[in-house]
Amino acid sequence: MEEIAAFTSSLSKVSRRNYRYIVQSFLRDIGKDLNSLEKKDIDLWISNKEISRRTMKTYLYVLSRFFRYIERDDLSKHCRERAKEIRVSNPIPRVDDDLLKKVEELKERISDMGGERSAVIALLLSTGMRLSEVLSLRPKDIDLKRRMIRVMGKGGKERIVYMTSWCADILGNYIKEMKADDKIFRISARTVQRWVKELLGVSPHGIRHAFAVMYLARGGNIRALQKILGHSKLSTTEVYLDIARSLVEEDFRRTMERY
């Protein structure tokens, strides 16, 4: 269909394939042409589609964009409204148990590496920052004396994160010759992902998950963690609570078993 081809023409190859599938699936299931579509067709499609709520929410937002493109604003608005009605729980993050157990011994290896690799991994592990946030840092954002970092997060929201003395020492040595507006890291996200995978066996975002669990397991306040991670909703942070509690219980039973 020409409308679908035109709608997806500016998208990446993967997005183009996915968007085309969603729109074609909807039109095939409803069996109507574009001009005769009604709001009730969308409602009927939702009620009969056997997919997860999260997936349905995604489908509706794609359809909303498509209907807006073909100037069916009534249907576009209806899709958005129905999508907002769908409540989905936050997915449980996957946290690598081995990473949680080996953090202290890994610190020595990270320190020994020195240079850019040591600094970027120390920041990820010590602050819980997103990789994109770390890679955008400049020396003027960092207060080594107070071990604080000013971060520009999602949606242009600024927040303060804190680093350990271990991280501050590594970072301080790395940036001491840099000017305030220099970009600290001149590497790609892909390069950091490779470094982290080789050393820790996880992704940079996996480190962020591990940081959150360790923070709570060691007695950290969940509302403070919400601010540190830059989550707009507390419910996003709360998904780490059960994992942290399990970790505390496991540690207690392992430690106290001999008594």
Side-chain angles (χ1 to χ4, degrees):
M1 182 180 289
E2 292 181 4
E3 290 89 344
I4 299 176
F7 166 62
T8 58
S9 61
S10 62
L11 301 174
S12 67
K13 184 177 180 180
V14 173
S15 295
R16 186 162 59 248
R17 182 177 65 244
N18 292 340
Y19 278 41
R20 184 184 298 133
Y21 169 79
I22 292 169
V23 177
Q24 288 177 338
S25 174
F26 169 77
L27 294 175
R28 182 181 63 249
D29 292 346
I30 296 302
K32 289 185 175 181
D33 59 48
L34 294 176
N35 294 326
S36 59
L37 287 173
E38 302 174 78
K39 293 178 183 178
K40 65 181 182 181
D41 296 322
I42 295 169
D43 297 335
L44 177 64
W45 188 66
I46 292 173
S47 64
N48 291 332
K49 203 72 175 170
E50 295 183 358
I51 53 179
S52 71
R53 287 181 293 175
R54 187 176 296 277
T55 301
M56 176 56 73
K57 200 175 182 78
T58 300
Y59 278 23
L60 284 168
Y61 279 125
V62 170
L63 287 174
S64 174
R65 290 184 60 182
F66 173 69
F67 289 135
R68 187 170 67 246
Y69 177 80
I70 63 171
E71 299 181 346
R72 286 296 307 269
D73 291 339
D74 56 329
L75 298 183
S76 177
K77 182 180 178 181
H78 188 66
C79 284
R80 291 196 305 274
E81 289 173 346
R82 292 308 309 266
K84 289 177 182 177
E85 292 171 2
I86 299 174
R87 295 286 180 262
V88 296
S89 57
N90 292 314
I92 303 300
R94 294 182 60 184
V95 179
D96 188 277
D97 291 339
D98 288 337
L99 176 58
L100 295 174
K101 295 171 184 175
K102 295 177 181 177
V103 166
E104 293 307 318
E105 64 183 74
L106 284 168
K107 284 183 178 180
E108 186 175 345
R109 290 178 60 189
I110 294 167
S111 299
D112 290 342
M113 282 188 272
E116 196 168 34
R117 184 181 302 199
S118 179
V120 73
I121 295 178
L123 274 168
L124 289 168
L125 199 58
S126 177
T127 67
M129 292 168 63
R130 301 176 180 92
L131 177 55
S132 59
E133 295 169 346
V134 170
L135 293 181
S136 66
L137 289 177
R138 299 178 188 276
K140 66 181 182 181
D141 300 322
I142 297 167
D143 184 338
L144 288 170
K145 187 175 181 180
R146 299 173 68 188
R147 302 202 300 271
M148 294 168 51
I149 304 173
R150 187 175 71 252
V151 180
M152 191 62 70
K154 282 186 174 180
K157 294 180 180 178
E158 186 178 294
R159 71 182 192 280
I160 299 295
V161 301
Y162 307 89
M163 55 184 151
T164 62
S165 55
W166 166 74
C167 178
D169 289 342
I170 292 175
L171 187 60
N173 288 329
Y174 178 65
I175 68 173
K176 60 184 176 183
E177 302 298 331
M178 294 183 180
K179 296 178 181 178
D181 285 314
D182 286 348
K183 195 170 182 182
I184 295 177
F185 301 109
R186 300 179 180 277
I187 46 177
S188 67
R190 189 179 295 275
T191 296
V192 180
Q193 289 165 353
R194 187 181 74 250
W195 287 348
V196 170
K197 187 70 175 179
E198 290 172 352
L199 179 66
L200 306 178
V202 298
S203 68
H205 211 70
I207 295 180
R208 181 171 160 88
H209 291 325
F211 170 89
V213 171
M214 286 188 293
Y215 183 91
L216 292 174
R218 294 175 181 180
N221 179 277
I222 191 167
R223 289 196 177 274
L225 179 61
Q226 177 191 2
K227 293 184 180 298
I228 291 168
L229 294 179
H231 290 159
S232 58
K233 296 180 181 178
L234 183 62
S235 59
T236 307
T237 317
E238 286 176 337
V239 298
Y240 296 106
L241 275 174
D242 287 340
I243 304 173
R245 286 167 181 156
S246 298
L247 191 67
V248 171
E249 180 181 356
E250 179 186 333
D251 186 67
F252 171 84
R253 298 195 185 285
R254 182 177 61 252
T255 304
M256 302 300 290
E257 188 68 28
R258 60 183 179 272
Y259 293 101

